[in-house]
Amino acid sequence: MPLRTKFQRHFRRKIEQFVRELNPAYWPLGAFVLVHDTMQYLLHSPTTPYSYTRSRFPTQRSLAIVMQWITRAQDASQDGGIAAYASLYGGFGPSYPETTGYLIPTLIDYGTMSGDWSYVERAVRAADWLVGLQSRDGAFPGGFALSSDGPSVFNTGQILFGLLAVFQRTGDEKYRRAALRAGQWLVSVQSSDGSWQQYTYEGKSHVYYTMVSWALAELYKATEEPTFGRAVRHNLDWVLTQQKPNGWFEGYNLRHRPIYLHFIAYTLQGLLEAASIIGPTQVIEAVQKPAELLLRKFELKKSLSGAYSPEWHPQALYMCMTGNAQMAIVWQRLSQITNDLRFFNAALKMHELLKASLWYRGPYILRGAVKGSFPIWGRYLTFRYPNWAAKFTADSFMIELQLLKTLYSKEMPCES
Amino acid sequence: MRIVVLAANIYSERALATLVALHKAGFTPIACVCLSTLSLSTIVRKLAQYGPKNFVLYVVRRLNMFRGGRHLKQFQDLQFDNPYLEHRLKYHNIAFSDVASACTEYNIHLCYCKDVNSEKVLSFLRKFDIDLIVYAGGGILRNGLIKTPKIGVLNAHGGILPEYRGMNVMEWSLLQGDQIGVTVHFIDSKIDTGQICFVNKVPVSGEDGSITALRNRIVDTTVDALVEAVRMLAKGEMRTKPQAPEEGKQYFTMHEKLLELAELKLNHIVDPLLK
């Protein structure tokens, strides 16, 4: 079936669902966003080579409103965790342990950068909530808060980021102990081939669990415990065996789901960051190939598809905004590692795309929120604004500011 | 030699300067293929390129030029964006300001088109049994057009090949602290990967106060380089060098934040030269 027909059917189904499930209180807002996004999508014509080369909004301003949205998502949940998303169906969702975990470093980094210590306090509050969810064996549960899901490798890995960041900021041993127990549990359930198969999504191994490897690599850096380093190397070796000559990684193993850009970028980001701590240079080369391929696609088309096939053919007519922000991070980190400024250039343009999709005024659930899909009825988190999209967007903006500062300090050593 | 020049539009200063320079060197082109100015895609592209304010200024200036007549008697009335090209035309006592007028003056056949790869253009070119196409703008060329002339399609690229392919290569070279220059090469089906004729390095001088000024000088250099290449081809002195795709990188349009950095880098080079 042609992509356009599939998209039209999906659009009709989503509109019907939207009308059926929408909370009456959100009708005016939902209808407005729907019409607005439809218009923007129809007018989105990136036909010129000059698209996204100019800054319409200062990055600091965009970063500030995204961070403010994250604080509102935390305040909405009241347990210290951060609401998984804001939805046009009915406002903020429940707290989400996995993403609360990796939002903690973002809160701390922004607090340090802006000098607003309330963000650090928020990070500590979120970490305290997470510590309370840890089971005796060190694992953290999957799913949303209060769900009865069993232990989850991916969630434990992402929460590890938060525990380590708070320990490094406060020096409180309870977070270190929790992080160590989580790390030991992750090592104990790793399969003999280096992947994770137990306590995973659908009980299968997934290449994007490189994000778990990255968390373990951070733990290895903090504790210098060789077991963690070995586990990371073992997983990276397994992931590298999954790479095809065209740069694509096999083994996403997501049944009935397209391979969203979000998962592709997870794999690349995890590989890159884990390798930059542990050291094997061939991993960086393995990341560079697909990252450069996506850079070329973005530069030529002025957007990335929301999902791709193993032949790198676009599988969606919508964009996955989380994946977009993550790719901007991957490109910026590659630019730092390889000194190739083409990656930074593409990330700057991607930032313009992300900034243009934000609401700078308007209702509090939308102001500063990053949508799951553009247009909002796209398949990835339809009609929702996930907190992880905001997290990766904020992280990417912070890397931009840091990179620009470094580049300017090279040019103007006296002034800096 | 039967030469055809490709022009981005009738107001293209680069194409006009190339036509004049070829004529003065004794290689008057037989025809010129020119993209239509008033198409929606051109308007959208210019709007995005210049921004709304500068776009209006651009339109007003072009309308003024049209109102003043194509043949302007006073050289002072010529309104060029590129002062180097303006100076070059004044030097040659040229009293016209667009490609169409130059074609009338030199008896060059002119073909307007929406796409240089269209069948209309190909059949127009087949009539003349051409030896060489000189590229002075007009978008991406497809194989049909590339294979039409006997010798090939000559282009002067504003960067050093094979290292710097693609767009904004002068700015990219500056930003990365590399030498800038112009490469004359034959166009093939990929971007800037054809056989290299020669490279002319362009050292930064005290008069290059901004990226725009330096870019203007590079464009001026490309005109001379193209004439030089045509002369070498006519004398049979041209020796080309192939380039492998993996030898260089392709660059894309530079974001304005990096352009500011490149400008800063240029100032660091120019300031000591001025002192």
Side-chain angles (χ1 to χ4, degrees):
Chain A
M1 193 189 299
L3 205 55
R4 194 169 287 276
T5 319
K6 256 165 75 176
F7 187 71
Q8 282 164 353
R9 282 190 186 181
H10 168 78
F11 174 64
R12 206 172 46 237
R13 210 168 46 238
K14 287 294 174 184
I15 295 296
E16 285 164 9
Q17 184 190 355
F18 181 65
V19 172
R20 206 170 48 242
E21 295 181 13
L22 187 71
N23 180 334
Y26 283 88
W27 245 113
L29 181 62
F32 174 72
V33 173
L34 195 66
V35 172
H36 176 273
D37 255 38
T38 309
M39 293 304 291
Q40 212 178 18
Y41 180 70
L42 293 174
L43 294 172
H44 175 80
S45 174
T47 49
T48 102
Y50 303 97
S51 303
Y52 306 125
T53 54
R54 289 194 165 81
S55 283
R56 284 177 59 211
F57 308 99
T59 305
Q60 285 93 335
R61 186 181 161 210
S62 305
L63 173 62
I65 65 152
V66 173
M67 290 307 298
Q68 283 159 15
W69 182 87
I70 293 171
T71 62
R72 286 198 292 279
Q74 188 177 29
D75 294 341
S77 68
Q78 296 182 345
D79 52 13
I82 299 170
Y85 50 76
S87 162
L88 290 179
Y89 293 126
F92 282 106
S95 302
Y96 194 14
E98 174 202 324
T99 55
T100 299
Y102 64 37
L103 268 157
I104 291 172
T106 306
L107 289 167
I108 293 176
D109 288 347
Y110 183 70
T112 312
M113 182 186 249
S114 65
D116 184 346
W117 301 116
S118 68
Y119 283 93
V120 180
E121 286 163 17
R122 284 176 176 281
V124 174
R125 193 143 53 90
D128 286 339
W129 174 67
L130 289 171
V131 169
L133 299 176
Q134 193 170 27
S135 62
R136 279 190 186 172
D137 57 3
F140 284 89
F144 294 135
L146 304 175
S147 69
S148 52
D149 289 13
S152 158
V153 165
F154 196 76
N155 287 21
T156 305
Q158 305 323 296
I159 291 167
L160 192 46
F161 284 116
L163 297 173
L164 277 171
V166 175
F167 166 66
Q168 280 157 356
R169 192 75 186 81
T170 63
D172 191 332
E173 274 295 316
K174 86 172 169 191
Y175 303 114
R176 185 175 177 275
R177 280 198 301 274
L180 268 174
R181 281 169 54 215
Q184 281 154 0
W185 180 77
L186 286 172
V187 173
S188 73
V189 296
Q190 191 176 25
S191 304
S192 55
D193 63 358
S195 69
W196 278 277
Q197 283 171 15
Q198 271 184 295
Y199 309 113
T200 58
Y201 180 70
E202 292 183 336
K204 287 180 178 162
S205 44
H206 308 280
V207 281
Y208 65 88
Y209 276 43
T210 50
M211 287 294 283
V212 179
S213 279
W214 173 20
L216 275 177
E218 292 286 354
L219 186 61
Y220 168 71
K221 194 167 83 174
T223 61
E224 294 183 355
E225 172 62 55
T227 331
F228 301 130
R230 273 200 299 275
V232 175
R233 272 193 207 93
H234 202 182
N235 181 248
L236 297 188
D237 288 344
W238 174 77
V239 174
L240 289 185
T241 63
Q242 302 295 307
Q243 194 171 30
K244 294 196 330 185
N246 71 353
W248 180 266
F249 288 94
E250 294 283 3
Y252 283 100
N253 293 328
L254 299 163
R255 260 193 316 156
H256 311 304
R257 271 192 188 193
I259 311 295
Y260 292 123
L261 185 64
H262 173 51
F263 294 113
I264 297 168
Y266 257 161
T267 310
L268 301 183
Q269 198 179 358
L271 269 176
L272 188 64
E273 298 296 353
S276 66
I277 295 168
I278 298 290
T281 49
Q282 75 269 27
V283 179
I284 310 241
E285 285 159 20
V287 174
Q288 217 169 331
K289 191 167 186 174
E292 204 160 335
L293 200 139
L294 287 168
L295 175 144
R296 200 177 149 73
K297 281 180 183 288
F298 175 64
E299 291 280 14
L300 295 176
K301 297 276 180 199
K302 311 298 165 199
S303 64
L304 288 177
S305 172
Y308 284 96
S309 73
E311 292 75 36
W312 293 107
H313 296 316
Q315 294 295 294
L317 291 176
Y318 54 85
M319 293 185 216
C320 165
M321 301 307 266
T322 317
N324 280 348
Q326 286 172 282
M327 279 317 301
I329 295 175
V330 170
W331 287 333
Q332 290 183 102
R333 292 287 292 122
L334 272 172
S335 181
Q336 284 175 320
I337 294 166
T338 64
N339 285 326
D340 189 341
L341 286 170
R342 290 177 311 152
F343 288 116
F344 186 39
N345 189 48
L348 287 171
K349 292 181 192 173
M350 185 63 92
H351 286 176
E352 301 308 331
L353 186 153
L354 289 165
K355 286 181 210 171
S357 76
L358 294 175
W359 294 86
Y360 289 82
R361 279 185 292 243
Y364 79 111
I365 69 157
L366 296 190
R367 206 183 321 131
V370 182
K371 54 193 82 172
S373 291
F374 174 79
I376 195 78
W377 64 81
R379 189 167 170 186
Y380 183 71
L381 288 156
T382 316
F383 300 121
R384 288 187 175 91
Y385 297 79
N387 70 17
W388 53 101
K391 178 246 170 7
F392 290 116
T393 303
D395 282 352
S396 197
F397 287 165
M398 282 192 272
I399 299 173
E400 178 200 315
L401 295 174
Q402 188 194 337
L403 247 166
L404 276 176
K405 200 173 160 187
T406 314
L407 287 171
Y408 271 99
S409 65
K410 272 187 200 163
E411 291 308 314
M412 300 187 293
C414 305
E415 284 93 326
S416 69
Chain B
M1 197 184 303
R2 299 165 81 82
I3 301 171
V4 169
V5 171
L6 295 187
N9 57 66
I10 57 158
Y11 301 117
S12 166
E13 295 170 3
R14 187 183 165 197
L16 174 62
T18 307
L19 277 173
V20 171
L22 284 170
H23 173 74
K24 294 289 173 191
F27 300 104
T28 308
I30 192 161
C32 177
V33 175
C34 188
L35 285 178
S36 307
T37 317
L38 271 177
S39 69
L40 185 64
S41 63
T42 310
I43 292 168
V44 171
R45 184 165 54 83
K46 290 284 177 199
L47 195 59
Q49 184 181 355
Y50 293 136
K53 189 182 153 197
N54 289 333
F55 176 75
V56 171
L57 289 174
Y58 173 83
V59 172
V60 168
R61 205 163 53 199
R62 291 300 179 218
L63 286 174
N64 275 340
M65 193 182 279
F66 185 71
R67 204 177 52 186
R70 284 182 171 177
H71 290 264
L72 298 172
K73 297 228 163 29
Q74 300 297 317
F75 301 146
Q76 290 83 343
D77 289 341
L78 290 173
Q79 294 181 55
F80 281 91
D81 291 332
N82 187 334
Y84 291 96
L85 295 183
E86 187 168 359
H87 182 261
R88 171 192 287 273
L89 294 169
K90 278 183 183 173
Y91 176 80
H92 287 304
N93 278 353
I94 301 302
F96 40 78
S97 60
D98 61 47
V99 170
S101 314
C103 289
T104 313
E105 191 78 16
Y106 301 146
N107 287 325
I108 299 170
H109 297 273
L110 178 61
C111 170
Y112 287 105
C113 63
K114 282 187 178 170
D115 176 10
V116 289
N117 301 294
S118 62
E119 189 50 42
K120 178 190 169 190
V121 173
L122 295 181
S123 54
F124 172 78
L125 294 178
R126 274 184 218 119
K127 283 194 291 194
F128 299 107
D129 188 27
I130 56 172
D131 297 306
L132 182 73
I133 292 179
V134 173
Y135 182 88
I140 292 172
L141 309 187
R142 307 273 170 230
N143 269 336
L145 183 68
I146 294 170
K147 286 175 181 165
T148 304
K150 286 174 196 152
I151 300 173
V153 184
L154 210 54
N155 176 40
H157 173 70
I160 293 178
L161 290 177
E163 289 85 1
Y164 285 92
R165 297 183 181 128
M167 300 186 72
N168 283 148
V169 280
M170 183 208 72
E171 290 84 346
W172 280 109
S173 307
L174 263 180
L175 187 65
Q176 304 191 123
D178 285 338
Q179 277 194 306
I180 56 171
V182 168
T183 307
V184 177
H185 68 103
F186 283 106
I187 290 180
D188 66 4
S189 56
K190 290 182 185 162
I191 308 284
D192 300 326
T193 52
Q195 301 255 338
I196 294 173
C197 301
F198 57 82
V199 177
N200 281 350
K201 290 186 176 161
V202 180
V204 175
S205 76
E207 59 193 76
D208 302 320
S210 67
I211 292 276
T212 314
L214 183 55
R215 171 159 280 283
N216 285 339
R217 199 155 69 83
I218 291 277
V219 171
D220 187 48
T221 313
T222 62
V223 175
D224 289 329
L226 281 171
V227 175
E228 179 58 23
V230 172
R231 193 176 283 129
M232 286 168 79
L233 280 169
K235 287 183 183 170
E237 292 171 354
M238 183 68 82
R239 299 282 173 273
T240 58
K241 192 181 94 181
Q243 48 168 330
E246 64 278 2
E247 279 180 309
K249 288 177 183 169
Q250 190 183 350
Y251 291 85
F252 297 93
T253 324
M254 194 181 266
H255 189 275
E256 65 175 5
K257 287 182 181 172
L258 291 184
L259 273 176
E260 279 170 25
L261 265 170
E263 186 111 31
L264 203 65
K265 211 143 189 167
L266 177 68
N267 291 342
H268 285 186
I269 302 170
V270 171
D271 285 351
L273 293 174
L274 289 174
K275 281 171 194 163

